Amino acid sequence: MSKIGLFFGSDDGNTEFIAARIAKRLGEDQVDILDIADVTQLDFLDYDKLILGIPTWDFGQIQSDWEEFWDDIEAVDFSGKTVAFVGLGDQFGYGEFFLDAMGLLHDVVIKTADRIVGYWPTGGYDYDASKAEVSGEALFVGLALDEDQQAELTSDRLNQWCQQIHAEFELASPLNEITD
Ligand SMILES: Cc1cc2nc3c(=O)[nH]c(=O)nc-3n(C[C@H](O)[C@H](O)[C@H](O)COP(=O)(O)O)c2cc1C
């Protein structure tokens, strides 16, 4: 029960690759990576610490495999669990809808989750609107990554965010700082 469950959906592979890069930092033996296309609600029972990775597609829409799982995710009981989010998007190409899917997923999970961690500053991004913003605060609901426009910043952002959630998840295992 002490392992982290990292659930992701990915159309083009970017979020899948990010999942692997997070696991490298937190320890590959500490993280189970699960494709949302292959899981059932029961898989969520195995973890009390979760990272949910979701890209936004098609003008503010949820990635297709997450979309197919949406009724199930609404039925998952996250009580007793600590949850963090990672969102991927394109701030210049889709600046009116930047990371919207991460915000929509957060809105579902927060209804039952005990604790959300991994909030992340909105500074350093250039976009018009996002459903992933925490209302009234200069924060996203989770780590914001942009492999289309700011891929060169991803490695440092991952190191910083993993350090943050290593503390927030209260992990005893060592944290690996990696340049990748
Ligand atoms: C057709 C298309 C639509 C997209 N729509 C959005 C969007 O509405 N908001 C956003 O932030 N990013 C959008 N993106 C960017 C993707 O979220 C981004 O490329 C992401 O890294 C894809 O992740 P994946 O490879 O894991 O599916 C879009 C990309 C494409 C090609």
Side-chain angles (χ1 to χ4, degrees), residues 8-11 35-37 62-70:
F8 75 92
S10 185
D11 274 12
D35 189 332
I36 201 70
I62 294 149
Q63 185 267 340
S64 56
D65 300 311
W66 275 109
E67 177 119 59
E68 233 165 84
F69 198 74
W70 208 248

Side-chain angles (χ1 to χ4, degrees), residues 2-30:
S2 60
K3 275 179 127 182
I4 297 166
L6 198 172
F7 292 73
F8 75 92
S10 185
D11 274 12
D12 275 359
N14 289 340
T15 311
E16 183 169 16
F17 186 42
I18 291 298
R21 292 166 76 183
I22 290 170
K24 269 191 190 167
R25 286 163 171 80
L26 296 177
E28 280 164 337
D29 54 344
Q30 302 296 315

Side-chain angles (χ1 to χ4, degrees), residues 24-127:
K24 269 191 190 167
R25 286 163 171 80
L26 296 177
E28 280 164 337
D29 54 344
Q30 302 296 315
V31 181
D32 287 338
I33 297 178
L34 300 101
D35 189 332
I36 201 70
D38 303 327
V39 306
T40 71
Q41 282 177 31
L42 295 178
D43 290 299
F44 285 83
L45 296 176
D46 292 339
Y47 305 96
D48 54 19
K49 300 183 192 84
L50 295 154
I51 299 173
L52 307 181
I54 182 166
T56 301
W57 276 90
D58 299 330
F59 307 98
Q61 300 301 302
I62 294 149
Q63 185 267 340
S64 56
D65 300 311
W66 275 109
E67 177 119 59
E68 233 165 84
F69 198 74
W70 208 248
D71 286 346
D72 296 278
I73 202 80
E74 286 187 322
V76 171
D77 179 6
F78 288 94
S79 56
K81 300 185 189 299
T82 302
V83 187
F85 298 89
V86 178
L88 274 79
D90 174 348
Q91 62 200 289
F92 301 152
Y94 302 89
E96 294 281 346
F97 311 93
F98 186 45
L99 307 169
D100 276 4
M102 176 165 69
L104 295 168
L105 183 58
H106 170 269
D107 290 349
V108 170
V109 172
I110 202 170
K111 287 181 190 161
T112 55
D114 259 27
R115 202 167 151 240
I116 307 286
V117 297
Y119 288 93
W120 183 254
T122 53
Y125 303 85
D126 185 6
Y127 61 94

